[in-house]
Amino acid sequence: GNIILSSEVLTLETSDSLLLSEKKDRLIAAIGVQGLVIIDGGDVILVCSRAKAQKVREAVQLLKNSGRNRYI
């Protein structure tokens, strides 16, 4: 099943996914996807395979290294 942590989510033929939004006024729509992590953090939207979610740490490090700390 899906894990939905937002009031504004629409899913259609979506399974094994995590959908999270910090914004109450933005809709996340996921159609025909499987095994994704979709997080709307306001200034950042993260979409990744659940199988690769451990790579988020590497992405954070790349942001730090390139001086884009405002997204962390």
Side-chain angles (χ1 to χ4, degrees):
N2 295 314
I3 300 171
I4 299 173
L5 302 172
S6 175
S7 60
E8 296 298 328
V9 171
L10 170 73
T11 60
L12 181 62
E13 297 180 15
T14 296
S15 62
D16 299 322
S17 295
L18 166 67
L19 297 99
L20 167 66
S21 178
E22 293 180 358
K23 298 190 127 279
K24 302 280 186 228
D25 61 344
R26 188 166 16 205
L27 173 74
I28 296 177
I31 302 169
V33 299
Q34 180 178 3
L36 290 183
V37 174
I38 303 170
I39 300 175
D40 180 351
D43 290 340
V44 176
I45 297 173
L46 169 70
V47 179
C48 71
S49 164
R50 285 183 68 182
K52 297 291 183 176
Q54 72 278 5
K55 297 277 190 178
V56 171
R57 285 191 182 108
E58 289 180 41
V60 169
Q61 191 60 48
L62 288 170
L63 288 170
K64 286 180 182 178
N65 292 346
S66 64
R68 293 186 268 183
N69 293 329
R70 72 183 191 112
Y71 297 113
I72 301 171

